[in-house]
Amino acid sequence: GVVLWLAGSRLSLGDANLPPLLGAGYLARLVAFLLLERISFFSYQGQGGDAGFYEDGAWLIARLWFAKGLHYVSAAELPFLNHATLQCNAYALVIFANGGERATFGCVALGAFVAAVAFLMVYRLARFLGAEPRQALWVTALLYFSPGFVYYTTGTHKEAFVVICTVGAVSASLRLSHRLSWQQALFGSVWLLGLWRVRYYLVFVACLPLIVSFIVSRVHIAVRALAIMGLLTGIAIVSTSTTVTADLSDKATKAYNIGTSSGSRDWNALGGSGVHFDDDGKAWGSLGPKLAYTLFSPFPWTGGSLGLQLGKIDTLLWYYLAYLAVK
């Protein structure tokens, strides 16, 4: 909390209202955890599901560190972690500092801190794009305190790490589109690497703005042409000399198949929040209605779990933001 306040004060671009806002959101998540671990909003009790899985993974990583020393533990060493290893290693630092004993509330505090830093980045990005301090603060607060973001950045979920890596990659892309900067290209690559270690399939989407921004950045045409040629040459070399491209394609295909499988759909529909489409079993069938539901649901009349009902608050906020964006 102290580090957050100092960072917020130093990086607030002169806005004295930002550090108290970040601090309030940080404390709100600590308080929310005490409530959420006792209340079932979705189809599992309190902070169950993935949150408990990641804490268990962090505990095992801490045990490995005591035996083998500090190092990044990947899925190669603990296969059951799959691709989501970044947040487990981060939470393991808290457990390791606690002598190897579980430190749930400490992990919760770390997750809340990461979420706060992510929204500090959102604020600074808004200012970079030309927003007035009051506007930037308003939209940051709107997102920072929306129920969905509070819920999924509370506890030992991985979403706080997903948010900060995604915001970091997009931020680097937008800054890069204004001016060619090898520093921003490096930052974007680091954030993408982090995203690969926490929710790998988002990398296939998040890397596109970074590549496009690098190509269209305001730089002399000859340098731009050389950059494009270098990029294509690098891709060609990688494609012919290693199996990286094949591995990426295989991972993307597997992620898509899992996400569109009947098992995933049935699991996500637990608690009465599922939506079924007349698509003849085809993932691309009824594409229009699926896109509409993805972007705008849950609708005010939609039935489902308590979590879905609370999600309608977020939806109304997004409707308003979408209106402002179009306007």
Side-chain angles (χ1 to χ4, degrees), residues 253-265 281-284:
T253 302
K254 286 181 178 179
Y256 177 79
N257 290 336
I258 292 172
T260 58
S261 67
S262 58
S264 293
R265 293 200 304 270
K282 299 177 181 178
W284 294 98

Side-chain angles (χ1 to χ4, degrees), residues 5 16-26 123 136-138 140-141 144-145:
W5 186 277
N17 295 313
L18 185 62
L21 175 73
L22 295 175
Y26 172 77
Y123 173 85
L137 192 72
W138 177 83
T140 300
Y144 191 31
F145 288 97

Side-chain angles (χ1 to χ4, degrees), residues 30-228:
L30 299 186
V31 173
F33 172 74
L34 300 176
L35 302 175
L36 293 174
E37 65 177 346
R38 295 176 175 84
I39 301 174
S40 178
F41 282 102
F42 295 100
S43 55
Y44 49 78
Q45 177 63 38
Q47 287 289 308
D50 289 349
F53 172 80
Y54 298 138
E55 188 181 355
D56 290 342
W59 182 81
L60 286 175
I61 290 173
R63 306 311 301 173
L64 276 176
W65 286 348
F66 280 109
K68 299 181 179 181
L70 281 170
H71 63 286
Y72 189 91
V73 177
S74 66
E77 198 165 357
L78 286 178
F80 81 94
L81 294 178
N82 205 353
H83 294 278
T85 56
L86 178 63
Q87 75 285 354
C88 291
N89 279 269
Y91 292 140
L93 289 172
V94 179
I95 297 173
F96 185 78
N98 196 43
E101 299 295 327
R102 288 183 181 270
T104 301
F105 204 68
C107 294
V108 171
L110 177 60
F113 172 82
V114 171
V117 173
F119 284 96
L120 170 61
M121 294 165 62
V122 169
Y123 173 85
R124 288 176 59 84
L125 180 61
R127 291 286 299 273
F128 172 78
L129 294 174
E132 296 295 329
R134 184 172 176 275
Q135 293 175 318
L137 192 72
W138 177 83
V139 74
T140 300
L142 190 67
L143 296 173
Y144 191 31
F145 288 97
S146 62
F149 273 124
V150 171
Y151 179 87
Y152 279 109
T153 54
T154 295
T156 51
H157 293 288
K158 65 181 176 183
E159 269 63 31
F161 294 88
V162 174
V163 170
I164 196 171
C165 291
T166 305
V167 169
V170 172
S171 176
S173 300
L174 291 172
R175 293 173 189 272
L176 198 58
S177 68
H178 282 70
R179 182 175 63 87
L180 180 64
S181 168
W182 295 106
Q183 182 185 49
Q184 291 301 326
L186 177 61
F187 284 164
S189 300
V190 171
W191 288 119
L192 287 176
L193 178 61
L195 193 58
W196 181 261
R197 296 293 187 179
V198 64
R199 185 168 279 170
Y200 72 97
Y201 48 84
L202 283 183
V203 171
F204 299 107
V205 178
C207 68
L208 294 178
L210 190 66
I211 296 172
V212 172
S213 296
F214 181 77
I215 294 174
V216 304
S217 59
R218 297 173 184 175
V219 61
H220 192 272
I221 185 65
V223 177
R224 189 182 307 169
L226 287 173
I228 295 173

